[in-house]
């Protein structure tokens, strides 16, 4: 197993919020619709959620899920855009 990814290191229970948020988005917009949105919107969204969390707000008003899940989602999406050549430095 040397050199292989060890997915047992992930905290699966915490990731459920990310999955719930993605399910919320799939219903509100459309499954995988996030791939069609301008990447800059995700940078702005990530920073808004960080600011709301820093101000002491734990739950996102729209999704009713933790801002941390929104931050994880936005970070994941930005990584996806970068990995797929759709994000400029």
């Amino acid at each position: 197993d040397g050199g292989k990814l060890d997915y047992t290191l992930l905290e699966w229970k915490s990731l459920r919020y990310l999955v719930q948020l993605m399910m919320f988005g799939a219903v509100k917009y459309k499954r995988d619709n996030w791939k069609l949105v301008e990447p800059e919107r995700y940078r702005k969204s990530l920073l808004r959620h960080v600011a709301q969390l820093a101000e002491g707000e734990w739950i996102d008003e729209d999704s009713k899920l933790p801002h941390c899940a929104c931050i994880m989602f936005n970070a994941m999406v930005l990584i996806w855009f970068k990995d797929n050549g759709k994000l400029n430095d």
Side-chain angles (χ1 to χ4, degrees):
D1 290 337
K4 294 181 181 177
L5 294 176
D6 184 358
Y7 287 94
T8 65
L9 294 170
L10 286 174
E11 175 50 52
W12 293 102
K13 191 172 181 181
S14 297
L15 289 177
R16 78 180 183 275
Y17 293 115
L18 176 60
V19 174
Q20 288 172 334
L21 184 69
M22 294 184 77
M23 291 171 65
F24 172 80
V27 169
K28 184 174 180 179
Y29 303 104
K30 186 180 175 188
R31 186 182 183 100
D32 293 335
N33 186 66
W34 57 268
K35 294 177 182 177
L36 307 174
V37 177
E38 172 62 35
E40 183 62 21
R41 290 183 63 185
Y42 295 106
R43 289 185 212 203
K44 291 177 180 179
S45 177
L46 187 144
L47 292 173
R48 280 194 305 271
H49 287 289
V50 168
Q52 289 169 302
L53 185 65
E55 292 171 0
E57 184 178 303
W58 183 252
I59 299 295
D60 173 56
E61 187 178 306
D62 187 33
S63 67
K64 308 297 188 241
L65 292 164
H67 283 291
C68 289
C70 301
I71 293 165
M72 283 193 297
F73 171 74
N74 284 294
M76 179 196 74
V77 166
L78 288 170
I79 291 168
W80 182 87
F81 275 110
K82 182 67 175 174
D83 286 350
N84 287 279
K86 299 176 183 217
L87 181 67
N88 298 326
D89 290 331

